[in-house]
Amino acid sequence: MKALIAAALLASSGFAATAAAQSVPPAATPAPVATAAAPTTPPRLIVAISVDQFSADLFQQYRNHFTGGFARLLTGAVFPSGYQSHAATETCPGHSTILTGMRPAHTGIVANNWIDQSVARADKTVYCSEDETVPGTDHNNYVVSDKHLKVPTLGEMMKAARPATRVVSVAGKDRAAVMMGGHKVDELWWWDGKTYSSYAGRAVPRAVQRGRDAVAAMVAKPQPALPLPGFCQPLDRPITVAGTVYGQGRFERAAGDLKAFRASPASDAAVFAIAAGLIQDMKLGRGETTDIIDIGASATDYIGHSLGTQGTEMCIQMDQLDQTLASFFQTLDGWGLDYEVVLTADHGAHDMTERQQQHAMPMESHVSGDATIKAVDAAVSAALGLKGPVLVGAEGDVYLAKGLSPANRARVLAEAQKRFAAQPQVAAAFTRAQIAAQPFATTPPETWTLLERARASFNPAVSGDLLVLLKPRVTTIETPGPGYVETHGSPWDYDRRVPILFWRKGMAGFEQPLSVETVDIAPTLAATIGLPVHGLDGRCLDLDPGAGDTCAR
């Protein structure tokens, strides 16, 4: 694998464009899958992949163009309407559902950031994967921690039942690695903006150091434009947003540009190369019990936020990721591993407002300044004759200022709810009492009310006093700019719907278009390895297309 990593990361066009040519056979259309029942023996390795911001819409748009790794996964059990069913469709909450089987209400991860006015630092915003008690830190300069994840992951459940299990997590973001890996991991690594890092004091494995060195050498050189696949040519149209032209990018990169590397196919290729190196060096899948590796591919999210989803940039990313997956799977095949794959996403998204307006959606809009927490705080303070701020907030959660008296808290909450609800762009403003009183939904996720979606995201220890949800097609971006032209986080299905794909060699595939949830993944995988799990929000999905039942093992 060392040679593969070198070929994958030292080549100027990145792993996806070169690894097949230099190290492994070209990606080929998978052989027809036998129509036998699903395998009945436990796999030796679980490979759980999250593609950040890989919406069901993006999956549907490109599924007919996939020829590599995605094409292989399409021969397995395909659930094109998976749901991150909660309202707060952000990276940290979404990743916390994938391998815990629990919604954010129970994982404790209600957003990427929330407010805790009791923390002993000036910055009261808390990042989901930090330890805010470390002196000298803030939510932008933090020490990575798993302390806010309140439930175990599948890897932890596996290790508790079978201590010989190895649990590994590698991702392009710390929050992806932590929320999928959990509290008890053998190796956990993420891209920190400069290199691949882990918790303080951990020794650097050879596979990670190889990846570090190869990425450093690659980024030190300029990256020429990547080729444009033929099916991407119809998207080759410019659009100008805030003075910058988007839509025709090819991932050219100046030497030393780490931000451009992060938002490119090469960063996903590096994560998969490190993951493969750890599998090889640690002999994952060759022990006495099933091992698990979690892989967070983060480039799609960075590309979406900074460049949008409907230009050549995202099209190239989809093609390159497809080939990266193909080379990764072929490498595992070459090692003779018996592995089971699940691939999903932490949330969806939709394209930048300006291009949506050109594409038959003139009602798309940026949020008005009048609907922001800062504006409503000023209005409430003036209306009630109070010295502000009386409201603080992060994401859609609004908190009453700590120093308010009980009587003023009630006045401020009522006035704030009234003023938010009156905003033309606001769909709902729920108090924490309203949300807490709402029972958890038991119906299919696409039928949930806004209040039910909010309930799935609400945890009383960290959630706000008021939750404000914008109307469909209103983006939370007030003013777009370089690096931030598109986002997600809404309670609407374009942000909630993601694909969920299961694959294993010998598996007879099928497609189920009806809705399932990402919290169903953990109990489904647990059943395939004979691991009893109880009390989860999710349910086991039967992966046998016939009369057999993989959930009955």
Side-chain angles (χ1 to χ4, degrees):
M1 187 60 198
K2 185 173 181 178
L4 174 59
I5 292 175
L9 298 179
L10 294 177
S12 62
S13 56
F15 177 90
T18 63
Q22 298 189 28
S23 302
V24 295
T29 301
V33 177
T35 56
T40 57
T41 57
R44 307 309 296 167
L45 176 65
I46 292 174
V47 179
I49 301 169
S50 172
V51 178
D52 200 319
Q53 204 187 121
F54 188 41
S55 68
D57 295 330
L58 204 58
F59 169 68
Q60 180 62 30
Q61 180 178 357
Y62 288 102
R63 64 180 293 173
N64 290 337
H65 297 295
F66 293 136
T67 61
F70 282 118
R72 179 190 295 220
L73 297 178
L74 281 165
T75 66
V78 177
F79 298 91
S81 290
Y83 273 78
Q84 291 281 4
S85 49
H86 50 273
T89 50
E90 298 173 355
T91 298
C92 216
H95 279 104
S96 80
T97 71
I98 293 171
L99 291 176
T100 64
M102 303 293 271
R103 302 185 185 113
H106 295 128
T107 68
I109 308 298
V110 301
N112 286 344
N113 300 281
W114 55 80
I115 301 295
D116 184 349
Q117 297 176 78
S118 70
V119 298
R121 67 184 189 192
D123 177 22
K124 305 302 183 183
T125 300
V126 175
Y127 173 57
C128 62
S129 295
E130 74 160 315
D131 182 354
E132 65 276 16
T133 66
V134 177
T137 63
D138 60 45
H139 80 282
N140 287 314
N141 301 287
Y142 52 85
V143 172
V144 176
S145 171
D146 56 32
K147 65 176 287 186
H148 293 298
L149 180 64
K150 303 304 182 187
V151 295
T153 62
L154 176 62
E156 291 180 82
M157 298 177 214
M158 293 166 63
K159 189 179 280 289
R162 302 156 187 170
T165 295
R166 274 84 56 79
V167 181
V168 175
S169 194
V170 185
K173 295 182 181 180
D174 54 48
R175 54 191 179 271
V178 169
M179 295 301 153
M180 293 177 72
H183 311 87
K184 297 179 180 179
V185 292
D186 294 273
E187 294 292 349
L188 189 146
W189 295 86
W190 64 83
W191 176 256
D192 69 1
K194 296 180 180 179
T195 190
Y196 294 93
S197 294
S198 188
Y199 299 128
R202 281 184 174 253
V204 181
R206 291 181 302 162
V208 174
Q209 190 59 53
R210 291 196 300 265
R212 284 177 165 184
D213 294 343
V215 167
M218 181 178 67
V219 173
K221 301 176 182 178
Q223 165 72 62
L226 296 181
L228 185 68
F231 63 83
C232 295
Q233 291 177 3
L235 300 176
D236 189 10
R237 293 190 296 268
I239 183 168
T240 301
V241 180
T244 300
V245 178
Y246 301 91
Q248 298 181 302
R250 305 288 193 275
F251 296 105
E252 299 95 333
R253 186 177 66 242
D257 192 340
L258 290 170
K259 286 187 177 180
F261 164 76
R262 183 183 70 173
S264 77
S267 79
D268 280 346
V271 167
F272 277 96
I274 290 172
L278 288 168
I279 291 170
Q280 183 187 45
D281 290 358
M282 296 176 68
K283 295 182 171 53
L284 298 182
R286 299 187 185 279
E288 61 187 70
T289 188
T290 303
D291 297 318
I292 183 169
I293 185 166
D294 317 318
I295 304 172
S298 304
T300 301
D301 185 70
Y302 287 124
I303 292 166
H305 282 301
S306 59
L307 302 168
T309 66
Q310 294 301 310
T312 56
E313 302 94 346
M314 187 60 78
C315 191
I316 292 171
Q317 163 64 5
M318 290 292 99
D319 179 65
Q320 293 277 298
L321 181 57
D322 185 38
Q323 300 310 317
T324 292
L325 288 167
S327 293
F328 177 72
F329 295 150
Q330 288 168 357
T331 298
L332 302 191
D333 294 341
W335 292 336
L337 294 177
D338 177 8
Y339 61 99
E340 177 178 36
V341 180
V342 64
L343 184 145
T344 189
D346 55 338
H347 54 73
H350 74 318
D351 198 24
M352 63 178 72
T353 298
E354 290 74 13
R355 191 155 45 204
Q356 292 281 40
Q357 291 171 341
Q358 291 185 4
H359 291 180
M361 291 294 145
M363 73 292 292
E364 290 269 340
S365 64
H366 293 282
V367 67
S368 166
D370 294 338
T372 62
I373 295 172
K374 182 178 180 181
V376 174
D377 170 64
V380 171
S381 298
L384 299 181
L386 298 173
K387 183 179 179 181
V390 295
L391 303 172
V392 294
E395 320 299 349
D397 280 297
V398 182
Y399 302 76
L400 301 179
K402 186 178 180 181
L404 291 171
S405 68
N408 281 336
R409 286 178 65 85
R411 294 172 65 213
V412 169
L413 181 61
E415 185 70 16
Q417 184 180 31
K418 181 182 74 173
R419 288 182 176 271
F420 274 117
Q423 290 292 327
Q425 293 179 316
V426 171
F430 299 124
T431 66
R432 66 167 27 231
Q434 288 175 302
I435 300 172
Q438 173 63 46
F440 288 108
T442 57
T443 55
E446 72 274 16
T447 69
W448 291 10
T449 66
L450 281 182
L451 192 54
E452 288 173 326
R453 299 175 196 194
R455 183 66 186 91
S457 293
F458 176 79
N459 183 287
V462 290
S463 292
D465 297 295
L466 192 66
L467 178 66
V468 179
L469 302 175
L470 298 178
K471 289 181 177 178
R473 300 187 175 95
V474 180
T475 177
T476 55
I477 298 175
E478 188 176 353
T479 303
Y484 194 49
V485 296
E486 169 260 82
T487 194
H488 47 84
S490 82
W492 308 111
D493 281 3
Y494 49 73
D495 285 347
R496 296 171 77 219
R497 289 180 60 247
V498 297
I500 302 177
L501 314 173
F502 295 90
W503 180 90
R504 187 180 173 193
K505 185 177 181 180
M507 178 181 184
F510 66 91
E511 181 153 343
Q512 172 51 270
L514 297 179
S515 62
V516 296
E517 297 182 65
T518 53
V519 292
D520 299 333
I521 292 171
T524 301
L525 294 174
T528 66
I529 60 172
L531 177 68
V533 293
H534 306 285
L536 304 184
D537 290 331
R539 67 181 179 89
C540 180
L541 304 174
D542 176 14
L543 302 183
D544 191 306
D549 186 353
T550 58
C551 297
R553 296 175 188 169

